[in-house]
Amino acid sequence: MKIQAVRGMQDLLPEKQKIFRHVEDVVRRVFSAYGYGEVDFPVIEYTQLFSRSVGEATDIVEKEMYTFNDRSGDSVTLRPEGTAGCVRMAQENGMLFNQIQRLWYAGPMFRYERPQKGRYRQFFQIGGECFGMAGPDIDAELIFLTARIWQELEITDQVTLELNSMGSVESRKAYEQSLVEFLSGSRSSLDPDSQRRLDSNPLRILDSKDPNTQAILSDAPVLIDFLDHESAEHFAQLRRMLDNAQLAYEVNPTIVRGLDYYNGTVFEWTTTALGAQGAVCGGGRYDGLVEQLGGRPTPAVGFAMGLDRLALLILEQKNPPGDSGIDVFIASMGGIARAQALLLGEKLRDQFQEVRVQVHCGNGKFKAQLKKADQSGAQIALILGEDEVEAGEISVKNLRDESVQYRITNKDLARVIDSIVVSR
Ligand code: HAM
């Protein structure tokens, strides 16, 4: 049998990896501009962590987790998301009680979903989680931070912010009850998934893609009308903060998120450019989760963005960012020159840490080497032939302006390379 990648798992080839790196560089810069600390936690946790936080009746826990027994018989799960692990880490390391934390992480997550464009079984998230702050100001900060990331990635005009409040646990229960009452009358007209959810997780029915169910929902009671006073005030203040910053958003009362731990503010950044998988970032408050996992009550809020979807969005732009990755290509002809070319490459890397050099290796006619040099995206080719070696010189070919070629001695090399660094 020919061995292939596991279904739904993506290989990241250089072109896409470059975009991933670019996004990560931007995100790292932005998080650091807001004083967030980077953390990392394992991709495997005990299964209970996810069933108790994400929620037993969610799609993720019901049917999407990669769960197995390890060799000692413990049930472990490849993390389907980062919040649960981040809370576990923060609590286990004594980072929560009476403290304020602003943390971020990046890494692979795993969900056994039906693969399609923008939806994979291993996908990459970058997330931010904040602990110890109860007010709407930190919700606003997270939204500003994500908006800044879009701005730096130059995709601001492709994404829309959708906002909702899920209220307190009690107000949500009251809403759930009224939704169930409303939908029970039309039970048999709902899609099968929604019929099941009517008993297990009624709020998730709002997410149904079924047109019939959506038509029934158009007259359903709205979550935002059930908000308790405190949540309504929190939401109003958050909206004022966003208005003050002239940050545009839509209130979308159907955003309930697919994970159980949320309360109060929830938000999603969506795009219409990726077809069905339009959510590029989602998050919200989860003030009850730390306590639910055995810690002391700790207000919390966070978000995660999907790198795979962002990369698709960026790749669809006319001029995706990211350069070729090479500044100097070294071509050579003849055995002696070949050996010198390798040494020249090492010398340049010693002398100029920021210059990226590729030395042609293997056979290849001179013309073919220059073609490769052209395709590499490098700015110049340094050429070593027998002539050059004999004269102790190097030919320089400007790959951006084919007509320019000249010879230099070793001592001019620094000046030529410096000029590349400046113009990059
Ligand atoms: P989530 O909405 O499940 O939230 O995922 C966040 C983002 O991950 C989505 O908006 C999407 O871009 C990406 N994503 C999710 N599933 C897939 C998939 N199968 N393939 C590709 N991309 C995907 C969470 O995970 C929460 N932990 C966010 C959070 C953090 N809330 C509070 N703190």
Side-chain angles (χ1 to χ4, degrees), residues 187-206:
R187 187 179 194 114
S188 55
S189 312
L190 297 174
D191 61 279
D193 254 354
S194 297
Q195 290 188 22
R196 201 170 44 80
R197 284 176 172 150
L198 202 52
D199 304 313
S200 63
N201 197 351
L203 281 188
R204 298 288 299 153
I205 299 176
L206 300 180

Side-chain angles (χ1 to χ4, degrees), residues 60 80-84 105 109 111 113 118-125 127-129 257-259 261-262 268-269 277-286 301-310:
I60 293 179
E81 58 102 53
T83 310
Y105 53 85
M109 308 290 160
R111 294 183 195 174
E113 292 188 84
R119 190 163 69 196
Y120 311 101
R121 291 181 173 174
Q122 173 179 292
F123 58 98
F124 289 81
Q125 276 189 350
E129 314 288 354
R257 314 276 302 127
L259 307 93
Y261 46 63
Y262 292 106
E268 275 176 11
W269 286 93
Q277 303 310 316
V280 291
C281 174
R285 295 204 70 88
Y286 50 96
V301 57
F303 71 85
M305 56 183 73
L307 226 62
D308 307 79
R309 291 184 191 170
L310 287 172

Side-chain angles (χ1 to χ4, degrees), residues 90-131:
Q91 200 175 315
E92 196 167 325
N93 290 279
M95 298 167 79
L96 296 182
F97 182 57
N98 262 346
Q99 293 174 69
I100 280 180
Q101 297 289 354
R102 287 176 164 89
L103 307 172
W104 76 278
Y105 53 85
M109 308 290 160
F110 304 84
R111 294 183 195 174
Y112 192 83
E113 292 188 84
R114 198 165 49 78
Q116 57 172 246
K117 182 181 170 189
R119 190 163 69 196
Y120 311 101
R121 291 181 173 174
Q122 173 179 292
F123 58 98
F124 289 81
Q125 276 189 350
I126 293 179
E129 314 288 354
C130 298
F131 300 101

Side-chain angles (χ1 to χ4, degrees), residues 242-254:
L242 300 181
D243 292 339
N244 286 341
Q246 291 179 331
L247 204 144
Y249 57 85
E250 284 165 22
V251 174
N252 179 350
T254 68

Side-chain angles (χ1 to χ4, degrees), residues 202-214:
L203 281 188
R204 298 288 299 153
I205 299 176
L206 300 180
D207 272 350
S208 167
K209 301 270 184 294
D210 181 74
N212 238 351
T213 303
Q214 276 305 328

Side-chain angles (χ1 to χ4, degrees), residues 66-83:
Y66 281 88
T67 297
F68 56 95
N69 285 346
D70 68 10
R71 285 175 188 275
S72 38
D74 292 321
S75 178
V76 292
T77 293
L78 291 181
R79 61 183 183 193
E81 58 102 53
T83 310

Side-chain angles (χ1 to χ4, degrees), residues 316-374:
E316 279 179 15
Q317 285 177 303
K318 267 194 233 92
N319 300 308
D323 58 3
S324 68
I326 299 176
D327 302 306
V328 178
F329 190 97
I330 303 181
S332 59
M333 275 319 279
I336 302 173
R338 178 75 31 103
Q340 295 269 332
L342 274 178
L343 289 180
L344 178 60
E346 291 305 308
K347 189 172 135 188
L348 288 180
R349 295 183 193 105
D350 283 343
Q351 226 173 322
F352 304 94
Q353 261 105 38
E354 69 278 41
V355 174
R356 297 153 308 171
V357 183
Q358 191 166 90
V359 180
H360 172 80
C361 289
N363 294 326
K365 295 217 169 69
F366 190 57
K367 236 176 142 181
Q369 289 188 39
L370 280 191
K371 202 168 159 199
K372 270 200 192 140
D374 256 343

